[in-house]
Amino acid sequence: MLLNDNAVSPAEASQQSALTLAYLGDAVYELLVREKLVIHSHKTNGKLHFEATRFVSAKAQSEFVEKILGTLTPEELSVYKRGRNSDAVPPKNTDVAVYKRATGLETLFGYLYLSGRMERIEELFELMVN
């Protein structure tokens, strides 16, 4: 379970750039994936890492976005779109649209984390991976 004792108001969280929120959201998302894998499987570190890559790639995140878009509040959808429409530059061999959807997801997770909305993050994460 994620904890954030340093949460700020949604207005303060919104003042961060989309890519700054995505930077934070990437770490939040990866921690959730690792936590889920460690708790629900008893594999070696190498196998855990291999399993994690199925969840943390831009392609996987882009696919997961489709599972939650209909459940987002107008505020969350706005944050997602802000990240998706940012000037993030994808790595080589990555589809631009896929990368932008993944960046939008990371932006949303960063925003929710910074705002102290841990239960909502976990709710969205469960919808995506189950």
Side-chain angles (χ1 to χ4, degrees), residues 67-116:
K67 291 183 172 185
I68 65 166
L69 272 180
T71 68
L72 298 181
T73 67
E75 172 194 15
E76 293 167 347
L77 186 59
S78 175
V79 171
Y80 164 76
K81 286 180 177 180
R82 194 172 137 215
R84 183 196 64 196
N85 296 335
S86 69
D87 58 355
V89 179
K92 288 183 183 178
N93 303 319
T94 302
D95 180 83
V96 173
V98 166
Y99 189 75
K100 287 189 171 282
R101 283 191 298 271
T103 301
L105 178 67
E106 292 171 348
T107 301
L108 176 60
F109 272 52
Y111 171 81
L112 292 171
Y113 181 82
L114 204 56
S115 300

Coordinates of all heavy atoms in Angstrom, one line a residue, residues 67-116:
K67 N -8.5 0.3 -20.4 CA -9.3 -0.3 -19.4 C -9.9 0.7 -18.4 O -10.9 0.4 -17.7 CB -8.5 -1.4 -18.6 CG -8.2 -2.6 -19.4 CD -7.5 -3.6 -18.5 CE -7.2 -4.9 -19.2 NZ -6.7 -5.9 -18.3
I68 N -9.3 1.8 -18.2 CA -9.7 2.7 -17.2 C -10.3 4.0 -17.7 O -10.9 4.8 -16.9 CB -8.6 3.1 -16.2 CG1 -7.4 3.8 -16.9 CG2 -8.1 1.8 -15.4 CD1 -6.4 4.5 -15.9
L69 N -10.1 4.3 -18.9 CA -10.6 5.6 -19.5 C -12.0 5.9 -19.1 O -12.4 7.0 -18.7 CB -10.4 5.7 -21.0 CG -9.0 6.2 -21.4 CD1 -9.0 6.2 -23.0 CD2 -8.7 7.6 -20.9
G70 N -12.9 5.0 -19.2 CA -14.3 5.2 -18.9 C -14.6 5.4 -17.5 O -15.8 5.8 -17.1
T71 N -13.7 5.1 -16.6 CA -13.9 5.2 -15.1 C -13.3 6.5 -14.6 O -13.5 6.8 -13.4 CB -13.3 4.0 -14.4 OG1 -11.9 4.1 -14.4 CG2 -13.8 2.7 -14.9
L72 N -12.6 7.3 -15.4 CA -11.9 8.5 -14.9 C -12.9 9.6 -14.7 O -13.9 9.8 -15.5 CB -10.8 8.9 -15.9 CG -9.7 8.0 -16.1 CD1 -8.7 8.6 -17.1 CD2 -9.0 7.6 -14.8
T73 N -12.7 10.4 -13.6 CA -13.5 11.6 -13.4 C -13.1 12.6 -14.4 O -12.0 12.5 -15.0 CB -13.2 12.1 -12.0 OG1 -11.9 12.6 -11.9 CG2 -13.5 11.1 -10.9
P74 N -13.9 13.7 -14.6 CA -13.5 14.7 -15.5 C -12.1 15.3 -15.1 O -11.3 15.6 -16.0 CB -14.6 15.8 -15.4 CG -15.8 15.0 -15.0 CD -15.3 13.9 -14.1
E75 N -11.8 15.5 -13.8 CA -10.6 16.0 -13.4 C -9.4 15.1 -13.8 O -8.4 15.5 -14.3 CB -10.6 16.2 -11.9 CG -9.2 16.5 -11.3 CD -9.2 16.4 -9.7 OE1 -10.2 15.7 -9.2 OE2 -8.3 16.9 -9.1
E76 N -9.6 13.8 -13.5 CA -8.6 12.8 -13.9 C -8.4 12.7 -15.4 O -7.2 12.6 -15.8 CB -9.0 11.4 -13.3 CG -9.0 11.3 -11.8 CD -9.7 10.1 -11.3 OE1 -10.4 9.4 -12.0 OE2 -9.5 9.8 -10.1
L77 N -9.4 12.8 -16.1 CA -9.3 12.7 -17.6 C -8.5 14.0 -18.1 O -7.7 13.8 -19.0 CB -10.7 12.7 -18.2 CG -10.7 12.5 -19.7 CD1 -10.0 11.2 -20.2 CD2 -12.2 12.5 -20.2
S78 N -8.8 15.1 -17.5 CA -8.0 16.3 -17.9 C -6.6 16.2 -17.6 O -5.7 16.5 -18.4 CB -8.6 17.5 -17.1 OG -7.9 18.7 -17.4
V79 N -6.2 15.6 -16.5 CA -4.8 15.4 -16.1 C -4.2 14.4 -17.1 O -3.1 14.6 -17.6 CB -4.6 14.9 -14.7 CG1 -3.2 14.5 -14.4 CG2 -5.1 16.0 -13.7
Y80 N -4.9 13.3 -17.4 CA -4.4 12.3 -18.3 C -4.1 12.9 -19.7 O -3.1 12.7 -20.3 CB -5.4 11.1 -18.5 CG -5.2 10.3 -19.7 CD1 -4.1 9.4 -19.7 CD2 -5.9 10.5 -20.8 CE1 -3.9 8.6 -20.9 CE2 -5.7 9.8 -22.0 CZ -4.6 8.8 -22.0 OH -4.4 8.1 -23.1
K81 N -5.1 13.7 -20.2 CA -4.9 14.3 -21.5 C -3.8 15.3 -21.5 O -3.1 15.5 -22.5 CB -6.2 15.0 -21.9 CG -7.3 14.1 -22.3 CD -8.5 14.8 -22.7 CE -9.6 13.8 -23.2 NZ -10.9 14.6 -23.6
R82 N -3.6 16.0 -20.4 CA -2.4 17.0 -20.3 C -1.1 16.2 -20.4 O -0.2 16.7 -21.2 CB -2.5 17.6 -18.9 CG -1.6 18.8 -18.8 CD -1.9 19.6 -17.5 NE -0.6 19.9 -16.9 CZ -0.3 20.0 -15.7 NH1 -1.2 19.6 -14.7 NH2 0.9 20.3 -15.3
G83 N -1.0 15.1 -19.8 CA 0.2 14.2 -20.0 C 0.3 13.7 -21.4 O 1.4 13.7 -22.0
R84 N -0.8 13.2 -21.9 CA -0.8 12.5 -23.2 C -0.4 13.6 -24.3 O 0.3 13.2 -25.2 CB -2.2 12.0 -23.5 CG -2.3 11.3 -24.9 CD -3.7 11.1 -25.3 NE -4.3 12.4 -25.5 CZ -5.6 12.6 -25.6 NH1 -6.4 11.6 -25.5 NH2 -6.1 13.8 -25.9
N85 N -0.8 14.8 -24.1 CA -0.6 15.8 -25.1 C 0.7 16.6 -24.9 O 1.0 17.6 -25.6 CB -1.8 16.8 -25.2 CG -3.0 16.1 -25.6 OD1 -3.0 15.1 -26.3 ND2 -4.2 16.7 -25.2
S86 N 1.5 16.2 -23.9 CA 2.7 16.9 -23.6 C 3.8 16.7 -24.7 O 3.5 15.9 -25.6 CB 3.3 16.4 -22.2 OG 3.8 15.1 -22.4
D87 N 4.9 17.3 -24.6 CA 5.9 17.2 -25.6 C 6.9 16.1 -25.3 O 8.1 16.2 -25.7 CB 6.6 18.6 -25.9 CG 7.2 19.1 -24.6 OD1 7.1 18.5 -23.5 OD2 7.9 20.2 -24.7
A88 N 6.4 15.0 -24.7 CA 7.3 13.9 -24.4 C 7.8 13.3 -25.7 O 7.1 13.2 -26.7 CB 6.5 12.8 -23.7
V89 N 9.1 13.0 -25.8 CA 9.7 12.4 -27.0 C 9.9 10.9 -26.7 O 10.7 10.5 -25.8 CB 11.1 13.1 -27.3 CG1 11.7 12.5 -28.5 CG2 10.8 14.6 -27.4
P90 N 9.3 10.1 -27.6 CA 9.5 8.6 -27.4 C 10.8 8.1 -27.8 O 11.5 8.7 -28.6 CB 8.4 8.0 -28.3 CG 8.2 9.1 -29.3 CD 8.4 10.4 -28.7
P91 N 11.3 7.1 -27.1 CA 12.5 6.4 -27.6 C 12.4 5.9 -29.0 O 11.3 5.7 -29.5 CB 12.8 5.3 -26.5 CG 11.6 5.3 -25.6 CD 10.7 6.4 -26.0
K92 N 13.5 5.5 -29.6 CA 13.5 4.9 -30.9 C 12.7 3.6 -30.8 O 12.6 3.0 -29.8 CB 14.9 4.5 -31.3 CG 15.8 5.7 -31.7 CD 17.2 5.1 -32.2 CE 18.1 6.3 -32.5 NZ 19.4 5.7 -32.9
N93 N 12.1 3.3 -32.0 CA 11.3 2.1 -32.1 C 10.1 2.0 -31.2 O 9.6 0.9 -30.9 CB 12.2 0.9 -31.9 CG 13.3 0.8 -32.8 OD1 13.2 1.2 -34.0 ND2 14.5 0.4 -32.3
T94 N 9.6 3.2 -30.8 CA 8.3 3.2 -30.0 C 7.3 4.1 -30.7 O 7.6 5.2 -31.1 CB 8.6 3.8 -28.6 OG1 9.6 3.0 -27.9 CG2 7.3 3.8 -27.7
D95 N 6.1 3.5 -30.9 CA 5.1 4.3 -31.5 C 4.7 5.5 -30.7 O 4.6 5.4 -29.5 CB 3.9 3.3 -31.6 CG 2.7 4.0 -32.3 OD1 2.7 4.0 -33.5 OD2 1.8 4.5 -31.6
V96 N 4.6 6.6 -31.4 CA 4.4 7.9 -30.7 C 3.1 7.9 -30.0 O 3.0 8.3 -28.8 CB 4.4 9.1 -31.7 CG1 4.0 10.4 -31.1 CG2 5.8 9.2 -32.4
A97 N 2.0 7.4 -30.6 CA 0.7 7.4 -29.9 C 0.7 6.5 -28.7 O 0.1 6.9 -27.6 CB -0.4 6.9 -30.9
V98 N 1.3 5.4 -28.8 CA 1.5 4.4 -27.6 C 2.2 5.1 -26.5 O 1.8 5.1 -25.3 CB 2.2 3.1 -28.1 CG1 2.6 2.3 -26.9 CG2 1.3 2.3 -29.0
Y99 N 3.3 5.8 -26.8 CA 4.2 6.4 -25.8 C 3.4 7.6 -25.2 O 3.5 7.8 -23.9 CB 5.5 7.0 -26.5 CG 6.5 7.5 -25.4 CD1 7.2 6.6 -24.7 CD2 6.7 8.8 -25.3 CE1 8.1 7.0 -23.8 CE2 7.6 9.3 -24.3 CZ 8.3 8.4 -23.6 OH 9.2 8.8 -22.7
K100 N 2.6 8.3 -25.9 CA 1.9 9.4 -25.4 C 0.8 9.0 -24.4 O 0.5 9.6 -23.4 CB 1.3 10.3 -26.5 CG 2.4 11.1 -27.1 CD 1.9 12.2 -28.1 CE 2.9 13.1 -28.6 NZ 3.3 14.1 -27.6
R101 N 0.1 7.9 -24.8 CA -0.9 7.3 -23.8 C -0.2 6.8 -22.5 O -0.8 7.1 -21.5 CB -1.7 6.2 -24.5 CG -2.7 6.6 -25.5 CD -3.6 5.5 -25.9 NE -2.9 4.4 -26.6 CZ -2.7 4.4 -27.9 NH1 -3.1 5.4 -28.7 NH2 -2.1 3.4 -28.5
A102 N 0.9 6.2 -22.6 CA 1.6 5.8 -21.4 C 2.1 7.0 -20.6 O 2.0 7.0 -19.4 CB 2.9 4.9 -21.8
T103 N 2.5 8.0 -21.3 CA 2.9 9.2 -20.5 C 1.7 9.9 -19.8 O 1.8 10.3 -18.7 CB 3.6 10.3 -21.5 OG1 4.7 9.7 -22.1 CG2 4.0 11.5 -20.7
G104 N 0.5 9.8 -20.5 CA -0.7 10.3 -19.9 C -1.0 9.5 -18.6 O -1.4 10.1 -17.6
L105 N -0.9 8.2 -18.7 CA -1.1 7.4 -17.5 C -0.2 7.7 -16.4 O -0.6 7.9 -15.2 CB -1.0 5.9 -17.9 CG -1.2 4.9 -16.7 CD1 -2.6 5.0 -16.2 CD2 -0.8 3.5 -17.1
E106 N 1.1 7.8 -16.7 CA 2.1 8.2 -15.7 C 1.8 9.6 -15.1 O 2.0 9.8 -13.9 CB 3.5 8.1 -16.3 CG 3.9 6.7 -16.6 CD 5.2 6.7 -17.4 OE1 5.7 7.7 -17.9 OE2 5.8 5.6 -17.5
T107 N 1.4 10.5 -15.9 CA 1.1 11.8 -15.4 C -0.1 11.8 -14.4 O -0.1 12.4 -13.3 CB 0.7 12.8 -16.6 OG1 1.8 12.8 -17.5 CG2 0.3 14.2 -16.1
L108 N -1.1 11.0 -14.7 CA -2.3 10.8 -13.9 C -1.8 10.2 -12.5 O -2.2 10.7 -11.5 CB -3.3 9.9 -14.5 CG -4.5 9.5 -13.7 CD1 -5.3 10.8 -13.2 CD2 -5.4 8.6 -14.4
F109 N -1.0 9.1 -12.6 CA -0.5 8.5 -11.3 C 0.3 9.5 -10.5 O 0.2 9.5 -9.3 CB 0.2 7.2 -11.6 CG -0.7 6.0 -11.7 CD1 -1.8 6.0 -12.6 CD2 -0.4 4.9 -11.0 CE1 -2.6 4.9 -12.6 CE2 -1.2 3.8 -11.1 CZ -2.3 3.8 -11.9
G110 N 1.1 10.3 -11.1 CA 1.9 11.3 -10.4 C 1.1 12.3 -9.8 O 1.3 12.7 -8.6
Y111 N 0.1 12.8 -10.5 CA -0.9 13.8 -9.9 C -1.6 13.2 -8.7 O -1.8 13.8 -7.7 CB -1.8 14.2 -11.0 CG -3.0 15.1 -10.6 CD1 -2.8 16.4 -10.3 CD2 -4.2 14.5 -10.3 CE1 -3.8 17.2 -9.9 CE2 -5.3 15.3 -9.9 CZ -5.1 16.7 -9.7 OH -6.1 17.4 -9.2
L112 N -2.2 12.0 -8.9 CA -2.9 11.4 -7.8 C -2.0 11.1 -6.6 O -2.5 11.4 -5.4 CB -3.6 10.1 -8.3 CG -4.7 10.2 -9.3 CD1 -5.1 8.9 -9.8 CD2 -5.9 11.0 -8.7
Y113 N -0.8 10.7 -6.8 CA 0.1 10.5 -5.7 C 0.4 11.8 -5.0 O 0.4 11.9 -3.8 CB 1.4 9.8 -6.2 CG 2.4 9.5 -5.1 CD1 2.2 8.4 -4.3 CD2 3.4 10.4 -4.8 CE1 3.1 8.2 -3.2 CE2 4.3 10.2 -3.8 CZ 4.1 9.1 -3.0 OH 4.9 8.8 -1.9
L114 N 0.8 12.8 -5.7 CA 1.1 14.1 -5.2 C 0.0 14.7 -4.4 O 0.1 15.3 -3.4 CB 1.6 15.0 -6.3 CG 2.5 16.2 -5.9 CD1 3.8 15.7 -5.2 CD2 2.9 17.0 -7.1
S115 N -1.3 14.4 -4.8 CA -2.5 14.9 -4.2 C -2.9 14.0 -3.0 O -3.9 14.3 -2.3 CB -3.6 14.9 -5.2 OG -3.3 15.8 -6.3
G116 N -2.2 12.9 -2.7 CA -2.5 12.1 -1.6 C -3.6 11.1 -1.8 O -4.2 10.6 -0.9

